[in-house]
Amino acid sequence: KYLREYRKLNPEWFQKNDAFKKYGLTGEQYDEMFLRQNNRCAICNKEEDHKHHSTGKVRKLAIDHCHKTGKVRGLLCTSCNHGLGRFKDDVELLRKAIDYLTN
């Protein structure tokens, strides 16, 4: 009961910790990637601005990974991460979307 309540009060810590375990990253590796990317998304080069729904704090950049290999590619803002997810990492589908936008 205590852990459930603590988890509810500290969602960002658990989200970050769970992600590290899932992708085999350490906190130091995440921080290195974050600094290498100048605290910005690897795609749009903007700082994260989406806020966590329960804490109101700005979210951490998401750990992007290849769904086939599990390899970490970089850190993305919520918008770019969701965008890639919606296209299911399908390069051909993304090319079609680019063609659609440019025509």
Side-chain angles (χ1 to χ4, degrees):
K1 182 179 176 182
Y2 170 78
L3 186 56
R4 277 192 298 253
E5 188 62 28
Y6 186 80
R7 188 177 186 97
K8 192 188 310 183
L9 294 172
N10 300 281
E12 289 179 1
W13 186 88
F14 281 95
Q15 179 185 12
K16 184 176 166 183
N17 198 40
D18 292 346
F20 289 165
K21 287 178 188 174
K22 183 176 181 179
Y23 304 117
L25 282 180
T26 65
E28 292 79 22
Q29 289 171 317
Y30 179 93
D31 292 343
E32 286 173 18
M33 291 173 68
F34 190 71
L35 290 173
R36 231 178 307 141
Q37 292 180 204
N38 295 316
N39 310 343
R40 297 175 179 273
C41 173
I43 294 177
C44 69
N45 200 35
K46 294 180 181 174
E47 292 182 1
E48 178 64 86
D49 61 359
H50 281 79
K51 294 183 179 177
H52 196 280
H53 66 279
S54 62
T55 66
K57 293 181 183 177
V58 174
R59 292 179 175 273
K60 301 278 187 197
L61 290 174
I63 301 168
D64 179 48
H65 66 287
C66 174
H67 289 100
K68 292 178 184 171
T69 66
K71 182 180 176 188
V72 173
R73 295 186 283 219
L75 304 176
L76 302 179
C77 70
T78 300
S79 295
C80 290
N81 191 44
H82 286 182
L84 283 186
R86 300 268 192 263
F87 283 96
K88 299 175 178 48
D89 292 353
D90 184 330
V91 175
E92 189 55 39
L93 191 56
L94 284 163
R95 282 191 183 112
K96 288 180 182 180
I98 291 167
D99 289 344
Y100 171 79
L101 288 173
T102 56
N103 288 326

